[in-house]
Amino acid sequence: MGVEVGEQFELRVTPDRYTTIRYAGASGDFNPIHIDEQFALSVGLPGRILHGLWSMAQVARAATDAAGGDPLALTELSVQFRGMARLEQEIVISGEVQAVSEARARVKLEARQGDTRLIRNAQAELLLR
Amino acid sequence: MSVPSDKVGKRYPPLTYAVGREKIREYAAATGFEHPLHHDLDAAHAAGYADLLAPPMFVVVYCASLFQAALLDPELEIDFAHLVHGGQAFSWQQPVIAGDEITTTLTVKDISERAGLRFDTFETVSVNQRGERTAVGTWSTIIRGEER
């Protein structure tokens, strides 16, 4: 597979208004700040926010897509969570290949929603085959 | 803010999670992992798997209740009102297939304070029913001090 240093890639995804409901069921994380608008507002949030690990999953998807889509290509991923992500607004995950050895690639990614940086300094290691 | 650093090294009882085929489909659908190996049994069989393949981030499903239990441990004195998930890292080893039973252990790796913030780090190590490692997770939380 032709992964080269400096190559850039991007994944755009817009969570719909039920994304956090489905993710709560799928993941078991029912923290009300993600699923209950009134609760989220009552604790000073601008409304329901996305689960950080859902956003991390989008970064994981962007990384595996860059490796040709093989789900087992991803061998390491680390992220730092920053801003809170809102529903029904586009998220852009951008990445760049930092290093390529014989069978592995190291990529750096980040996730943004408008001016808000959701995930910074994400690092992934991909197995190339 | 309490910083019970004497709890570093504390280990929680292992938790075993049985990976279900429909749970893989549900998780993959909720996160947008559309690869046929997560959805289509024929595709999984054709690729040599006994059942559906879990997406890599499915690790959060089989580790989640252990992590939540640790956060609720009164000995850790976690102030939920000021808790945020600061960072997360995973490394993956053996693939996880529907029908697997994954056993995870969780250890407190660090509790420290810097600039009025408390930083906790937890490590999960997960193995399948054959004792093969499937994933190692590093879960980092930040607790903010009282608002000024």
Side-chain angles (χ1 to χ4, degrees), chain A residues 20 23-24 33 37 42-43 46 48 58 77 86 91 106 114:
Chain A
T20 57
Y23 185 78
I33 61 174
E37 190 76 13
S42 77
V43 295
R48 293 181 298 148
Q58 306 315 305
L77 178 63
R86 308 297 317 279
I91 294 172
R106 191 102 207 144

Side-chain angles (χ1 to χ4, degrees), chain B residues 45-64:
Chain B
H45 287 160
Y49 297 111
D51 211 307
L52 296 184
L53 173 72
M57 286 296 292
F58 191 83
V59 57
V60 307
V61 178
Y62 59 75
C63 291

Side-chain angles (χ1 to χ4, degrees), chain B residues 68-130:
Chain B
Q68 283 164 21
L71 294 181
L72 288 167
D73 176 2
E75 285 193 354
L76 298 186
E77 300 176 59
I78 286 170
D79 172 9
F80 272 95
H82 298 100
L83 177 76
V84 294
H85 196 166
Q88 184 66 53
F90 291 112
S91 66
W92 289 275
Q93 295 83 34
Q94 286 299 309
V96 170
I97 311 295
D100 280 356
E101 297 213 351
I102 309 294
T103 299
T104 301
T105 50
L106 183 145
T107 311
V108 180
K109 297 300 271 190
D110 187 39
I111 299 177
S112 55
E113 187 179 4
R114 283 199 309 278
L117 301 172
R118 174 177 149 184
F119 295 87
D120 292 18
T121 307
F122 304 88
E123 182 184 77
T124 54
V125 177
S126 303
V127 298
N128 65 20
Q129 65 279 10
R130 294 179 295 277

Side-chain angles (χ1 to χ4, degrees), chain A residues 1-81:
Chain A
M1 191 187 66
V3 171
E4 287 175 32
V5 174
E7 196 178 311
Q8 298 186 342
F9 53 92
E10 193 178 83
L11 173 74
R12 288 172 181 265
V13 55
T14 303
D16 68 34
R17 60 183 299 176
Y18 301 117
T19 293
T20 57
I21 309 284
R22 284 191 296 273
Y23 185 78
S27 69
D29 182 348
F30 288 92
N31 186 329
I33 61 174
H34 305 302
I35 55 177
D36 183 336
E37 190 76 13
Q38 289 309 315
F39 181 86
L41 292 169
S42 77
V43 295
L45 293 169
R48 293 181 298 148
I49 59 168
L50 286 159
H51 298 75
L53 290 171
W54 182 88
S55 298
M56 184 180 182
Q58 306 315 305
V59 172
R61 228 151 54 75
T64 51
D65 286 355
D70 174 6
L72 296 178
L74 187 64
T75 57
E76 287 178 34
L77 178 63
S78 63
V79 303
Q80 290 175 352
F81 297 113

